[in-house]
Amino acid sequence: YMKEFILRTSPLTLTVIILIITRIPQIGLNTLLKKTSPHFSIYFGTYGTFRLSASLVFQLENILTYPNLNWKYELLYTPFLIPFVLVSVFTYFIYQKEASDNLRGIFGTVYDRVKSPAIALAGALTLVQLMVEGEDESAPATIIGTVLSDALKGGWIAISASIGALGSFFSGSTTVSNLTFGSVQQIAAETIGVNVNAMLALQVVGASAGNGVCLNNIISACTVTGLVIGEGKIIAKTAKFVFVFIVIATLIMLAFLL
């Protein structure tokens, strides 16, 4: 039983172990997988300069001639090939006799499920980058939040949690929502004279609730489970719970202020 238990749990165990050893700087793999040199470069004119390092770090610098507009993708460090694809292939060879399809067929099935959602995900992630692009005061998200707080004054509290939910809706991450709108919520709290910690708490609550209607999460869940249904139908069902969650959090916030 112990041998079977170890084999059955090996995918999860190996994934965790590989993630740990590639994230601890003292081991050395962390730095190795993110090295940007040596590299070769290709100049694409106004589109930017493309660089590819020996550690398979893809970079595009000075995009559209903007000096600080850069993109980087660390292929071996980002959790994709290592550990997920690596562990998946390893697991396949362990249970090859029990597999209902060969390795090529399995990857083909995964590709068929991912190719359509990938388009929607790319659009959503692009929107997130556009929202946070720029310096603190020139980022679109900051401008929108500052203008609204000046216009709404105390009414900002009523939409604070919804702003946090909006960030998660676009990005699929509570953390990204907090990073995007956290400074906006702080500025709004200071502007209308509300406790900053309370306002940031409302932001976090809204951002957490927003995951329930996040397009990225819904598409990913449908892809993994093989569920063929319109994302709008799922959002229509989950939005009710998100709305109630946000209303309750806002009422609690108002109860402490009044």
Side-chain angles (χ1 to χ4, degrees):
Y1 291 106
M2 183 57 67
K3 180 181 179 181
E4 186 66 16
F5 172 77
I6 293 174
L7 288 175
R8 294 294 180 182
T9 58
S10 60
L12 180 59
T13 305
L14 286 174
T15 299
V16 172
I17 291 174
I18 292 174
L19 283 173
I20 291 174
I21 64 176
T22 55
R23 265 60 188 171
I24 299 177
Q26 290 77 2
I27 296 178
L29 287 177
N30 182 297
T31 305
L32 180 63
L33 296 178
K34 296 193 294 183
K35 288 184 67 174
T36 56
S37 60
H39 65 265
F40 73 88
S41 304
I42 302 177
Y43 180 64
F44 287 108
T46 57
Y47 293 103
T49 303
F50 173 77
R51 302 181 190 276
L52 177 61
S53 73
S55 297
L56 297 182
V57 176
F58 296 82
Q59 294 177 275
L60 190 60
E61 299 179 346
N62 302 328
I63 301 173
L64 299 178
T65 69
Y66 284 88
N68 297 319
L69 187 57
N70 305 316
W71 169 81
K72 181 170 69 172
Y73 184 76
E74 298 158 337
L75 182 61
L76 299 181
Y77 180 75
T78 302
F80 169 48
L81 290 180
I82 301 175
F84 297 116
V85 174
L86 179 64
V87 171
S88 297
V89 173
F90 175 77
T91 304
Y92 170 79
F93 284 113
I94 292 179
Y95 295 103
Q96 186 172 6
K97 294 182 180 179
E98 301 179 22
S100 59
D101 202 350
N102 57 35
L103 194 60
R104 181 177 180 180
I106 293 172
F107 276 105
T109 301
V110 172
Y111 173 76
D112 289 337
R113 288 187 178 186
V114 169
K115 63 181 180 181
S116 295
I119 299 174
L121 287 173
L125 293 174
T126 300
L127 179 59
V128 172
Q129 292 303 311
L130 290 174
M131 287 287 288
V132 302
E133 189 57 48
E135 301 296 331
D136 290 341
E137 295 183 357
S138 63
T142 303
I143 295 173
I144 293 170
T146 304
V147 171
L148 286 176
S149 65
D150 287 337
L152 297 175
K153 302 299 181 183
W156 176 268
I157 299 173
I159 67 168
S160 177
S162 299
I163 294 294
L166 181 66
S168 293
F169 171 76
F170 284 131
S171 66
S173 168
T174 302
T175 302
V176 173
S177 176
N178 293 335
L179 290 173
T180 305
F181 294 110
S183 59
V184 177
Q185 301 278 16
Q186 180 181 353
I187 293 171
E190 293 171 349
T191 301
I192 63 179
V194 175
N195 183 277
V196 174
N197 292 334
M199 188 68 80
L200 291 177
L202 204 55
Q203 156 67 29
V204 174
V205 170
S208 301
N211 282 290
V213 290
C214 170
L215 189 62
N216 297 3
N217 294 342
I218 292 173
I219 293 173
S220 298
C222 290
T223 301
V224 171
T225 60
L227 184 63
V228 182
I229 185 173
E231 293 82 10
K233 293 182 178 179
I234 298 177
I235 292 177
K237 293 180 179 295
T238 59
K240 295 178 290 186
F241 300 98
V242 173
F243 176 75
V244 172
F245 194 83
I246 289 175
V247 169
I248 293 174
T250 303
L251 290 176
I252 293 174
M253 172 76 167
L254 290 172
F256 279 99
L257 290 177
L258 298 177

